Structures are given as structure tokens and as C-alpha cells.
Amino acid sequence: MLNICFVSTEVAPYSKTGGLGDVTEGLPEELAKMGHAVCTVAPRFDQYKDAWDTEILHPVKYGKETTKVRYFHSYKKGVDHIWVDHHVYLSKTPLVNKKLYGPRDAVDYTDNAERFAMLSQAAIEVPLLVPLGPYGRKGPMGENTIFVCNDWHTALLPLYLKEYYKSYGTFLNAKTVMLLHNIAFQGRFPLLKFEALNLPDKYLQDLSFTTQFAPPPLDETTTKPIVASEPMVMLNWLKAGFLHCDKALTVSPNFAREVTADAAGGVELDEVARAVKLTGITNGTKVETWNPQKDKYIPVNYDAETMASGKQSCKMALQIECGLKTDPDIPIFGFIGRLENQKGADVIIAAMPKLAQLNCQVVILGIGSPKLEEQLEAIADQYPFAKGVARFDPELAHFITAGADYCLMPSRFEPCGLNQLYAMMYGTIPVVAPVGGLVDTVPPQFGFWMEKIPMPKIPGVAVSEEMLARGVDAMIVGMKKALAEYGTPKFEQMRLACMGNDVSWKGPAAKYVEVFQGLMGCQ
Ligand code: ADP
């Protein structure tokens, strides 16, 4: 039996802005089912109803200030969820799923370095201090723990573990895994922030990173990135996490290949990712949450046998809900995701005049860039075949997944992607750009590919009009391929093949265990 501690800023359904939260919910639960001791450690962003106050306090550093965190605890589906309580988390997040990282889209809190450095320090103490199990009746996890650090926010954990524990003889057998969910976010900070991290100077080199560009200013005075004449040195937390962890993993094999291929794919961390042999394990899905037979958010439940009629009822209900023409013969494309260029949300909106010429309907659910949100809310007025909803709404996400015929994902890059997996479980056929995990998870028997959506080579550069137009054409060609099969025997076969495809966490969790066992020397 392994002791596994996931450290993350998101754990669904408590806190979630995207796939990270889904993974740190589903994977720990599957590992617990296999008999391993599993906990998650995340900020207490809200007053989670099922979490009790352990009354355990521990001193940590928030920048140069010594402060105390308090641990809250909930226990669900065999997994211990430990919540790190401090006012810098709770006071900023009056609503769950909102404002975890900044006051508005694409704007970070100025103390994110301090907030998340503190999270890692607080997390390392959990296996030593916090009793686990229902109501904390078991002892703490203990030192032989595998810490799974998720994304840049937790990338300093391996450094703190080495410096403040292993070098003093604690956690000698503990291992760290750096699990990457999105290479676009690396924890880049000005060098000045190094002071706030409470690490000795010897780590500065591994944390430093040379780049010639910074993203465009957030005040949108220009959409151009700042290209410096001389290379700038910045901190890069993810780089340090990769260099100091025992194993670097990401969420699909193809994304691992893309990140290690070149500077554009690795957003300038390709060399480091190659050096640490970044490896991919494809994500799974929590089949209890995404199951058309039991889903409480959809009007009619169905399984593979009743799929045709079940989906048709869901589709009609979706058309009514969205104010679209109710017609079972008009194919619906659904899109659910962050309204960011990564997801190709700009491409879908720009494609509206051309989509008007296809016989289809489009339903889009997402939040993100304020400009795209505004455009989205307005599309139904101009295009009666389309409906845009700018909300974070998990119930509607389920409804769209069941009611749509196709799941549209024109992503410019996609580490794994989860919506295509959910869609398949509902017999909704993915139409995807062949990038990242979409390549691994949508082979031809399960879906359709479009050409790749062009993407600027330099991170942060605005998408040009010409590039956007090429993206629109690529997506439309892909959608036409899918529409050509609509209602044919091949279409029916594909829907059934999708529903029969095992996208649960079972297979992926077994692969994680293999890696963990290798690290702990217990193969
Ligand atoms: P990413 O992590 O890059 O945002 P993923 O496809 O891995 O993308 O995961 C996105 C998750 O967030 C899915 O569970 C998806 O259903 C959910 N999601 C995204 N946007 C919304 C929204 N506006 N309302 C409800 N759920 C959403």
C-alpha cells in the first residue's frame, strides 16, 4: 500500500476552475479504491460544509512574515481532504470557483507567490501532523509519502522538502512527483520575488530562467508582448519543480511529446522537460459524475441501448432551453470551456457568419476573457442558430454534453482535455483539433479531426486576423466532415463506439501506481 498526498490549488467539487480540479478529485478516489492511503491538500477557499476544524495549527512563512495556518479536514469516498486555512485564501474568494488566482480574468493577485509558497510549506506538514480517516481516527500518513505536486503553484514543494526536511533527516524516503496540467502557466515572477520564497541562494540558479518576452500588459494598452532587446532573467517555479522532483509527469503522452519537442510546444521550458524525461499518462474521468444513466442534470437518462431516443429527448430539451429551433434533424455542436485562445473560443465566435451557412446549431458555455464573454452573450441576437452562455455552470455543462450531437474542441493546445472524454460517455462525438491529449483520446473510430488551429509561436502574442481566419477555415472543414456523416450508419456506430470506450480512471490510476511503486522501490 502506498501513501499518496496530492497538493493542488483545486479539488473538485470544492474548488474548480478547470480540469485540474477534476483530476485531483477523480484520480485520488480511484487510487483509494485500489487500497492506497490518499489525501489531498488544498487551500480552504470557502467554508466547505463537510470540513471540520482539526484545531491543528502550524507556523509557516508568508513572505518574510511568520504566520500560522490551521488545518480543516473532510473525508469523502476514501480520500482525506485537508484544507489549509488562512485569511489570504478565504478572504479573497467569496464565491467558490471564482477569484482563486486573481480579482478578474487574466489578472493575478500581487501576493500569489507568497500564497502558494505557503501552501507547499503547509502541505509538507500534513503527513506529519494531521490524523486521517473519518473524523481523524487514524494516525497521520507518516514520512513514507509520495507528494504529487500539481502545476506551478505547488512546484516549490520539492525544494522545501529537500532543504528543510530531508537535509535534517526527515522524510528521507519521501518522493515528489511534478504533475503538469498546463505548460502555459509556469509561475514566472520577477527575480525580486526570490526573497519572499525563503529559500537559500543555492536554489536561485534552478529557479532562474532567461526569456526575451513578457506577456502583453494586463491593462490591454497593447496586445503585443514585451520583447526585450536583452534576455531578461525571471523566476520560473515550474522549471525548479521539474529539476528537483523525483519524477516529472503530464496528462497525456502526446502532450509530453509536444512539450519536449521545441520552444513553442514547451513554452520555452522544452529543454528542461527533455532533461527530466517528462512522461505522459492520459487522464481518466470520474464515471460516477459523468454517467448518462444516472445523471441528475439531464432531462432523460439513457444507456447504450436507449441512446438514440434518450439523446433525442435531451436534444429537444436543450433546444427549448436555449431558444433554438426544435428540430431533431438539425445537428448540434456543443462547446464547454474557458473562453481563451488556448481553447479556440475566439475561432468559434469568429466563425459565426460561416457557420450560418451550415445546417447546424451551436451551443457555447464558458467564462474567461471579458471581450469573448461579451461577444458570446450577444451571438444569439445575431445568429438564431447559436446560443452562448457566459457562466460557470456545471449543470448546464452536463445538459449540453447529453443534448449535443458533437463536442466541438478547436483547441490550439490541449494537455489532455476532459470534455471529449465526458462527451464520449454520452454518445456525443468529438470534433477536435489534433493536438495534445486530443490525439491520444480521439482516434478515428471515436471522432473527427480538423486541421490544427494556427497559434503564435511566441507566448502571449495576440492572434492575427489572418491566423484567426485560417483557424476558422480549419474548424469549418472539420465540422463539415462530421456533418457529412450525421445520421448515417457510421454516425450511429461511432456514437456506440464512444459509449463503449472505457475512459474511467481505472487504467490511468494503474499507470500512476506503477510509477509510484518504481519511485518507492517496491516493484
Ligand atoms: P482546462 O483544464 O484546460 O480548463 P479541461 O478540458 O481539462 O480544460 O477541463 C475543463 C473542465 O471544466 C471540465 O470539467 C469542463 O466541463 C469544466 N468547465 C469549463 N468551463 C465550464 C463552464 N463554463 N461551466 C461548467 N463547467 C465548465
Side-chain angles (χ1 to χ4, degrees):
M1 191 198 69
L2 298 162
N3 296 318
I4 310 159
C5 174
F6 284 82
V7 188
S8 171
T9 47
E10 299 183 27
V11 178
Y14 302 91
S15 48
K16 164 174 162 175
T17 66
L20 169 62
D22 288 352
V23 173
T24 52
E25 178 189 20
L27 178 57
E29 285 180 10
E30 190 66 38
L31 291 165
K33 260 192 240 163
M34 294 166 82
H36 302 291
V38 192
C39 71
T40 69
V41 184
R44 184 171 175 255
F45 282 128
D46 199 1
Q47 303 190 39
Y48 306 129
K49 269 193 236 139
D50 62 346
W52 63 91
D53 181 355
T54 65
E55 295 182 6
I56 298 169
L57 290 149
H58 188 74
V60 285
K61 287 281 197 184
Y62 168 80
K64 284 287 149 219
E65 186 191 318
T66 301
T67 182
K68 275 188 179 159
V69 290
R70 196 174 180 106
Y71 298 94
F72 281 65
H73 184 177
S74 31
Y75 181 80
K76 200 171 144 192
K77 306 230 160 94
V79 178
D80 291 277
H81 297 295
I82 309 301
W83 310 108
V84 177
D85 179 56
H86 193 277
H87 67 85
V88 296
Y89 304 129
L90 196 56
S91 65
K92 289 188 163 100
T93 51
L95 295 166
V96 185
N97 292 326
K98 293 228 171 102
K99 306 188 171 97
L100 304 194
Y101 306 109
R104 46 180 207 281
D105 180 62
V107 179
D108 290 336
Y109 292 121
T110 50
D111 64 344
N112 273 355
E114 290 83 352
R115 292 167 88 219
F116 297 134
M118 186 171 81
L119 174 65
S120 286
Q121 297 168 50
I124 296 175
E125 288 290 331
V126 167
L128 302 177
L129 290 180
V130 184
L132 302 181
Y135 301 101
R137 285 197 211 105
K138 287 192 220 157
M141 190 167 259
E143 290 184 36
N144 292 342
T145 289
I146 299 158
F147 288 97
V148 183
C149 309
N150 292 274
D151 274 349
W152 71 266
H153 323 98
T154 57
L156 297 186
L157 189 149
L159 286 68
Y160 291 128
L161 191 72
K162 272 187 191 169
E163 184 58 28
Y164 296 116
Y165 295 85
K166 285 186 180 257
S167 59
Y168 293 95
T170 313
F171 280 120
L172 288 178
N173 297 322
K175 299 288 176 202
T176 52
V177 171
M178 185 73 237
L179 177 53
L180 172 72
H181 301 258
N182 196 327
I183 191 71
F185 306 110
Q186 301 181 351
R188 295 185 183 192
F189 292 98
L191 271 186
L192 277 176
K193 274 282 179 198
F194 184 70
E195 283 288 294
L197 307 183
N198 298 296
L199 283 164
D201 288 348
K202 67 179 181 196
Y203 291 100
L204 185 56
Q205 194 179 351
D206 289 347
L207 259 161
S208 308
F209 164 82
T210 306
T211 180
Q212 241 167 303
F213 358 81
L218 295 169
D219 61 9
E220 294 186 348
T221 43
T222 165
T223 52
K224 293 203 169 72
I226 300 161
V227 182
S229 50
E230 293 292 318
M232 307 175 274
V233 183
M234 299 187 84
L235 298 178
N236 188 317
W237 287 27
L238 187 60
K239 177 189 166 200
F242 275 157
L243 292 177
H244 286 271
C245 70
D246 295 299
K247 180 71 196 162
L249 292 178
T250 188
V251 290
S252 72
N254 192 47
F255 189 61
R257 277 192 290 278
E258 289 173 354
V259 170
T260 50
D262 53 29
V267 191
E268 302 178 282
L269 271 193
D270 52 313
E271 229 176 283
V272 178
R274 278 196 295 279
V276 299
K277 299 193 171 53
L278 179 70
T279 309
I281 298 177
T282 309
N283 281 339
T285 65
K286 191 173 160 182
V287 289
E288 294 88 343
T289 311
W290 294 91
N291 178 352
Q293 285 180 63
K294 296 197 183 134
D295 194 323
K296 53 181 188 287
Y297 303 133
I298 66 176
V300 175
N301 292 111
Y302 58 91
D303 58 16
E305 269 177 33
T306 55
M307 184 257 288
S309 65
K311 266 192 89 62
Q312 180 152 324
S313 303
C314 291
K315 176 173 172 172
M316 301 271 284
L318 183 65
Q319 286 171 323
I320 293 167
E321 172 80 18
C322 295
L324 300 169
K325 185 175 167 201
T326 43
D327 181 345
D329 295 328
I330 302 182
I332 303 184
F333 288 88
F335 169 93
I336 301 153
R338 288 181 287 118
L339 299 181
E340 303 297 344
N341 288 354
Q342 177 198 337
K343 301 284 175 187
D346 56 331
V347 177
I348 304 179
I349 289 170
M352 283 296 150
K354 290 196 173 172
L355 290 176
Q357 282 145 41
L358 307 182
N359 181 34
C360 72
Q361 295 174 336
V362 183
V363 179
I364 306 164
L365 170 67
I367 53 168
S369 133
K371 185 174 142 210
L372 290 174
E373 281 190 10
E374 204 178 301
Q375 290 174 334
L376 185 63
E377 291 281 11
I379 55 170
D381 296 335
Q382 215 181 336
Y383 303 103
F385 66 89
K387 173 73 182 170
V389 181
R391 277 204 309 263
F392 193 89
D393 187 340
E395 294 185 22
L396 185 56
H398 283 245
F399 191 3
I400 296 172
T401 302
D405 297 290
Y406 298 106
C407 162
L408 184 61
M409 295 182 74
S411 306
R412 289 192 171 84
F413 70 95
E414 193 61 82
C416 178
L418 293 172
N419 286 313
Q420 80 282 11
L421 302 180
Y422 303 147
M424 287 194 249
M425 296 176 70
Y426 287 69
T428 304
I429 298 176
V431 181
V432 304
V435 288
L438 298 175
V439 168
D440 294 309
T441 56
V442 188
Q445 67 272 30
F446 299 139
F448 297 93
W449 287 8
M450 56 190 77
E451 293 288 311
K452 284 188 182 169
I453 307 296
M455 181 168 77
K457 282 219 168 352
I458 300 174
V461 177
V463 174
S464 69
E465 286 298 314
E466 180 270 336
M467 212 178 243
L468 183 60
R470 281 194 284 135
V472 167
D473 289 343
M475 184 184 77
I476 299 262
V477 172
M479 290 171 82
K480 280 185 176 165
K481 266 200 268 178
L483 289 172
E485 299 295 346
Y486 181 70
T488 63
K490 180 178 169 191
F491 176 81
E492 293 307 322
Q493 262 169 22
M494 279 176 102
R495 298 210 287 189
L496 285 172
C498 283
M499 285 189 86
N501 183 20
D502 179 5
V503 292
S504 72
W505 272 111
K506 241 191 189 142
K511 290 188 179 152
Y512 274 96
V513 167
E514 218 173 282
V515 172
F516 296 158
Q517 284 177 334
L519 288 175
M520 298 307 275
C522 51
Q523 254 170 341

